[in-house]
Amino acid sequence: EAAVTQSPRNKVTVTGGNVTLSCRQTNSHNYMYWYRQDTGHGLRLIHYSYGAGNLQIGDVPDGYKATRTTQEDFFLLLELASPSQTSLYFCASSVRGKTNERLFFGHGTKLSVL
Amino acid sequence: GEQVEQRPPHLSVREGDSAFITCTYTDPNSYYFFWYKQEPGASLQLLMKVFSSTEINEGQGFTVLLNKKDKRLSLNLTAAHPGDSAAYFCAVSAGNNNRIFFGDGTQLVVKP
């Protein structure tokens, strides 16, 4: 079973704060994704990447940056956090990024912006 | 773009009863369909992947129905037990843009 590890599991910050969420997968998957999960909205794609140094914009990218430093590591950056970014964030990976592939999810990071 | 509507958002059933969750989608070109299960405090795990060519798919303790004419995907948990208590998400994909669209989720509670 593919392993996707997120850190931290919980994070509290204040409005205007700087937050970095980390994700690591050790299964040599090419594609990695960041989603946010909000009540009433399901999972929405923020950013994704198909390899080290690559970044693709998702469906709700405003206020977020991301960086894929290695095949394994994908980071989500909130440089000026706002209360609207309070959410549950999931990282996921897939082998080739094809739409018929399953996604492997991390356990999630609960972020609260006060 | 694709829109996926999932109903109901919350569902409570007694142990042994059936639990029925439905998703409707808008893109007639949708071809791949997924159900994910998220247990409390855990990540989403794939329950089943369905191709558009198969209307009825049976898993262990559940059935997935696909009605392409009505653009409806359903999950039926037969004889639910407390271990089925979780959030369930449908996901739909179409085309080659690497997009998978999720429903809003259904929080299922199975009471003993």
Side-chain angles (χ1 to χ4, degrees):
Chain A
E1 180 78 1
V4 180
T5 304
Q6 290 182 236
S7 62
R9 293 294 297 268
N10 291 282
K11 176 73 177 177
V12 180
T13 190
V14 296
T15 300
N18 194 323
V19 177
T20 298
L21 307 184
S22 302
C23 178
R24 164 165 281 210
Q25 56 92 9
T26 55
N27 296 282
S28 301
H29 287 177
N30 292 316
Y31 278 74
M32 296 184 73
Y33 310 80
W34 277 107
Y35 287 90
R36 61 178 289 174
Q37 181 186 14
D38 304 290
T39 303
H41 288 284
L43 274 74
R44 292 182 290 174
L45 182 64
I46 304 170
H47 290 298
Y48 66 102
S49 165
Y50 57 71
N54 174 263
L55 181 65
Q56 303 293 317
I57 294 173
D59 300 319
V60 289
D62 292 346
Y64 301 96
K65 293 183 179 179
T67 180
R68 180 91 175 268
T69 54
T70 65
Q71 180 79 355
E72 295 79 19
D73 297 301
F74 195 29
F75 299 93
L76 185 67
L77 312 169
L78 293 77
E79 294 183 333
L80 287 171
S82 72
S84 65
Q85 294 176 307
T86 293
S87 186
L88 181 59
Y89 291 87
F90 283 101
C91 176
S93 71
S94 67
V95 178
R96 291 181 298 276
K98 299 299 184 185
T99 52
N100 62 342
E101 291 180 14
R102 64 172 290 188
L103 296 173
F104 293 85
F105 286 88
H107 281 73
T109 295
K110 186 176 181 181
L111 174 66
S112 298
V113 183
L114 305 178
Chain B
E2 175 85 86
Q3 294 186 33
V4 180
E5 185 171 332
Q6 184 172 343
R7 291 286 182 267
H10 301 277
L11 181 60
S12 179
V13 302
R14 290 286 178 190
E15 185 172 8
D17 289 348
S18 292
F20 198 74
I21 304 170
T22 297
C23 289
T24 56
Y25 57 95
T26 56
D27 190 338
N29 295 316
S30 296
Y31 196 80
Y32 300 107
F33 306 87
F34 307 81
W35 282 103
Y36 286 88
K37 177 182 180 182
Q38 182 185 21
E39 295 181 356
S43 64
L44 283 79
Q45 298 291 328
L46 181 69
L47 200 60
M48 180 171 276
K49 181 172 73 174
V50 176
F51 297 99
S52 69
S53 57
T54 309
E55 293 185 344
I56 300 175
N57 300 265
E58 295 196 5
Q60 195 163 9
F62 63 90
T63 302
V64 173
L65 305 171
L66 177 63
N67 183 325
K68 291 189 67 180
K69 175 177 174 290
D70 294 340
K71 295 196 282 294
R72 181 180 294 117
L73 176 72
S74 302
L75 172 67
N76 185 27
L77 292 125
T78 54
H81 56 85
D84 291 329
S85 296
Y88 292 84
F89 293 88
C90 64
V92 179
S93 70
N96 296 315
N97 61 1
N98 297 325
R99 287 290 197 271
I100 297 175
F101 295 90
F102 284 83
D104 292 347
T106 295
Q107 189 67 50
L108 173 66
V109 174
V110 182
K111 298 180 179 178

